[in-house]
Amino acid sequence: MTGRVIKFYNSFFFVDIASELLPCKLRGLMKRDKCSGSAVCPGDFVEVSKLKDGTGVIESVQPRRNMLKRPAVANLDQVILTFAAAEPDLNLLLLNRFLVLAEWSQIDKIIICVNKIDLIDNAEKFLSEYESLYDIIRVSAVTGKNIEQLKMQLENRVTVLTGASGVGKSSILNMVDENFNLKIGNVSEKIKRGRHTTRVSELIPFAGGFLVDTPGFSAVDLIEIGLDVEQLANCFKEFTNYAGDCKFTGCSHSHEPNCAVKSAVDNGEILQERYKSYLSMLNEINERKKPKYG
């Protein structure tokens, strides 16, 4: 039988087969191939054998269309990167790290969702410099502003909501549909960071598709997900219009002379903040790859 993995919980993969959730384990051969813990993940289409005790065994995984590596979710139509306008304040480097993660995962549609716009002035202009690159939806899970716009974007799609802890992902989903009744945490007054309230990634049926509320986190380890220097530049999509005009093949767009990307930054054609984020991530990858002695 073929089904879709809905979630992993208590050592079982729960597979949706004809609207029945079948708890499944991995076939032994697949366990040995479970590199980085993502041999099977939510969103995968799998072949399953049903056992007499009412559980199942996952025999194989169908090829994935794409995969978000952190958190691990497969076969997505879009990813909505959720951040707060305030409490906690937006960290642009973290936003760009999430955008790199989504680009590298080859997700078809990437949207930035800014929550808590009721806490700031000029909300409609917040992050407007990014609108030439990505669609931005500005919402308030308190007032309900633009929630209908968000709901329309979710119809008939498999969507993952991901982002830092405390930005209100679960609150947004509860506003989208009160039947979700997801647990909501508070932002710590001391450290101004959110507490993790979502513990597992789970596909939730909604409007002809699925929604995935994911555990929040505060960083993306670029080395851990397997990103290298050459791939990093390709994850800044505005670079591609200029990279072919660089003097040197394989230009890192950092120190080389006659770099078309750096010229575009100087001319205001590429955002300074985006380029600074790129250099920060480039340095991180290079430093982590240096051999350690002693």
Side-chain angles (χ1 to χ4, degrees):
M1 298 180 293
T2 301
R4 188 199 303 257
V5 178
I6 299 300
K7 66 178 177 179
F8 177 70
Y9 184 69
N10 279 353
S11 300
F12 280 95
F13 295 93
F14 288 82
V15 181
D16 181 9
I17 302 174
S19 299
E20 175 192 357
L21 274 187
L22 184 67
C24 298
K25 294 280 193 176
L26 293 180
R27 178 65 68 192
L29 287 174
M30 294 189 67
K31 289 181 181 178
R32 289 198 289 272
D33 188 40
K34 197 171 153 184
C35 57
S36 73
S38 58
V40 179
C41 67
D44 273 329
F45 290 97
V46 294
E47 303 297 329
V48 173
S49 295
K50 194 169 184 177
L51 304 178
K52 292 180 180 179
D53 64 1
T55 65
V57 175
I58 295 176
E59 305 284 355
S60 63
V61 182
Q62 294 184 1
R64 293 165 175 156
R65 181 157 56 94
N66 53 42
M67 178 183 171
L68 189 66
K69 283 212 169 184
R70 184 177 179 187
V73 187
N75 300 311
L76 298 165
D77 295 316
Q78 61 185 1
V79 58
I80 297 182
L81 303 177
T82 313
F83 286 81
E87 297 183 10
D89 292 338
L90 178 65
N91 181 322
L92 286 173
L93 176 58
L94 185 59
L95 169 62
N96 283 309
R97 292 172 77 90
F98 275 78
L99 288 169
V100 164
L101 173 64
E103 291 282 3
W104 186 72
S105 301
Q106 299 183 322
I107 311 299
D108 295 338
K109 181 78 170 176
I110 301 170
I111 298 171
I112 301 171
C113 178
V114 183
N115 188 26
K116 305 185 184 181
I117 59 170
D118 52 293
L119 299 180
I120 62 170
D121 297 325
N122 297 319
E124 68 280 358
K125 294 183 179 180
F126 189 81
L127 216 61
S128 59
E129 64 272 20
Y130 278 67
E131 285 186 303
S132 63
L133 300 171
Y134 298 100
D135 289 343
I136 299 177
I137 301 177
R138 301 171 181 87
V139 305
S140 170
V142 173
T143 68
K145 184 171 183 178
N146 292 335
I147 292 295
E148 286 301 319
Q149 178 188 356
L150 178 61
K151 287 171 71 171
M152 291 175 61
Q153 186 63 43
L154 300 174
E155 292 177 357
N156 302 310
R157 293 181 173 98
V158 180
T159 304
V160 62
L161 268 75
T162 189
S165 303
V167 300
K169 297 187 304 298
S170 296
S171 297
I172 291 170
L173 289 179
N174 285 340
M175 183 66 76
V176 165
D177 188 336
E178 62 183 12
N179 294 320
F180 289 151
N181 196 28
L182 298 172
K183 184 179 179 183
I184 298 171
N186 296 316
V187 174
S188 167
E189 287 299 320
K190 181 177 180 180
I191 61 175
K192 296 298 181 183
R193 286 206 304 266
R195 299 181 178 90
H196 301 253
T197 54
T198 303
R199 300 301 180 188
V200 296
S201 298
E202 177 180 359
L203 275 68
I204 306 169
F206 179 77
F210 288 93
L211 279 171
V212 190
D213 182 28
T214 62
F217 53 98
S218 57
V220 177
D221 190 320
L222 302 176
I223 300 294
E224 181 182 290
I225 66 173
L227 189 69
D228 60 30
V229 171
E230 291 75 19
Q231 293 167 324
L232 177 63
N234 293 331
C235 294
F236 285 77
K237 60 182 183 179
E238 65 269 42
F239 288 13
T240 59
N241 294 328
Y242 305 95
D245 295 327
C246 293
K247 179 178 180 179
F248 297 101
T249 302
C251 180
S252 71
H253 316 307
S254 59
H255 62 278
E256 298 89 346
N258 299 317
C259 169
V261 169
K262 289 195 295 182
S263 295
V265 175
D266 293 338
N267 295 333
E269 296 164 1
I270 291 176
L271 291 173
Q272 285 275 356
E273 186 58 50
R274 288 274 287 172
Y275 183 63
K276 289 178 183 177
S277 294
Y278 167 76
L279 291 180
S280 175
M281 287 182 257
L282 179 68
N283 181 66
E284 176 186 337
I285 292 173
N286 286 330
E287 286 297 317
R288 288 281 299 275
K289 286 191 171 183
K290 285 182 179 179
K292 300 292 189 295
Y293 301 100

